[in-house]
Amino acid sequence: SSDVCSSDLQAPAGSLLEDLNAKREGLPGYHQEFEVSSTVKMATHSQSSKRQLLLDFSQGHWREDSVTGSGSHIRIFDGRDILSMEAGGDEFVRPKHRPKDENPLPFPYSISESGWSKARELERRPCGLSGKDHPCVIVEMQLKPRTRTSPGSTKLFKMLSGTARVLLDMETGLLLSLRTTELFENQRGEYESDTSYSLKRMSYDTALDATLFQIGRAH
């Protein structure tokens, strides 16, 4: 009956997401390229920006290249530490990662650290992949409020509330699109941030070159 369908669509998605995470982690490796569009709406004006996000993941190691018009910022998890640097630079930062912590995830997968357990399933549909299509699931979750400082400053900004809607491939566990809407507060008042990750290219089922996950001469 339609009652059964509607209750299924609102079903908690925690165990499904655990299954999909396990499928993704079981892949020998994957490469994904996202276009990231972000709009920040303030009381008087809006600001929009675009960047590319290149993601490589293999055997628990990952590399994330965030590319803007002004350059590229790289984050690498080598299985032990996260290393962060500007492309072409020979300096890198090693943010603290305690061994007892769970292994960190790259963007946009790290959105799950905000509370996948309370996510709910909205819809299942074909992914729309070219060639052999897969089934996909759309999941929505509320993001946990958080407080951060701006990079390079002591100014605080608070994320008061937020929602994430994610499209996941049910055969591979790979994320195909993500949209987050968040309400922030800083010294000047409240503003809204709307960010979309849209997949442009991907490949999987192949182990990746281990040198992708090394800093090279900066070691």
Side-chain angles (χ1 to χ4, degrees):
S1 76
S2 60
D3 289 345
V4 173
C5 289
S6 63
S7 64
D8 282 350
L9 290 175
Q10 298 301 318
S15 58
L16 169 67
L17 292 166
E18 282 178 26
D19 291 346
L20 295 183
N21 282 343
K23 284 183 182 180
R24 190 180 76 246
E25 286 168 11
L27 296 172
Y30 57 87
H31 171 79
Q32 293 184 290
E33 299 180 17
F34 293 93
E35 182 173 88
V36 187
S37 306
S38 192
T39 301
V40 175
K41 296 173 190 165
M42 287 150 277
T44 53
H45 65 290
S46 293
Q47 276 181 306
S48 292
S49 61
K50 281 196 176 182
R51 62 189 172 94
Q52 308 301 121
L53 184 68
L54 313 181
L55 181 59
D56 293 284
F57 193 102
S58 190
Q59 311 300 312
H61 301 127
W62 50 258
R63 176 190 178 109
E64 181 195 285
D65 289 65
S66 182
V67 184
T68 64
S70 56
S72 174
H73 184 79
I74 299 167
R75 290 169 77 228
I76 288 177
F77 180 62
D78 62 6
R80 194 181 56 189
D81 296 300
I82 295 179
L83 311 169
S84 179
M85 66 183 289
E86 298 302 320
D90 54 6
E91 294 181 27
F92 67 92
V93 221
R94 191 187 292 267
K96 294 272 189 296
H97 172 60
R98 297 182 296 280
K100 65 178 169 46
D101 291 346
E102 279 190 33
N103 279 349
L105 292 169
F107 292 120
Y109 291 95
S110 54
I111 196 82
S112 65
E113 292 163 0
S114 192
W116 258 165
S117 57
K118 293 183 181 170
R120 59 201 180 98
E121 180 182 325
L122 298 185
E123 184 188 346
R124 295 190 185 194
R125 66 175 203 215
C127 295
L129 301 171
S130 59
K132 179 178 175 287
D133 202 2
H134 293 173
C136 260
V137 61
I138 298 172
V139 170
E140 188 174 82
M141 61 185 277
Q142 299 304 308
L143 301 175
K144 287 179 186 168
R146 62 185 188 274
T147 301
R148 287 190 180 170
T149 54
S150 304
S153 98
T154 54
K155 290 181 180 173
L156 281 179
F157 63 98
K158 293 179 186 172
M159 194 276 275
L160 306 175
S161 62
T163 303
R165 187 169 284 200
V166 194
L167 179 70
L168 295 161
D169 181 333
M170 294 182 70
E171 283 195 22
T172 60
L174 291 169
L175 184 152
L176 305 185
S177 72
L178 165 69
R179 183 176 180 187
T180 61
T181 50
E182 297 170 289
L183 181 65
F184 287 93
E185 180 183 57
N186 62 14
Q187 287 90 334
R188 297 179 184 178
E190 292 184 357
Y191 61 94
E192 188 178 282
S193 172
D194 186 336
T195 303
S196 293
Y197 292 76
S198 176
L199 184 71
K200 296 300 173 192
R201 261 184 217 94
M202 82 170 165
S203 56
Y204 56 90
D205 280 349
T206 347
L208 302 178
D209 188 335
T211 57
L212 276 172
F213 312 108
Q214 296 166 8
I215 287 290
R217 67 192 180 92
H219 267 300

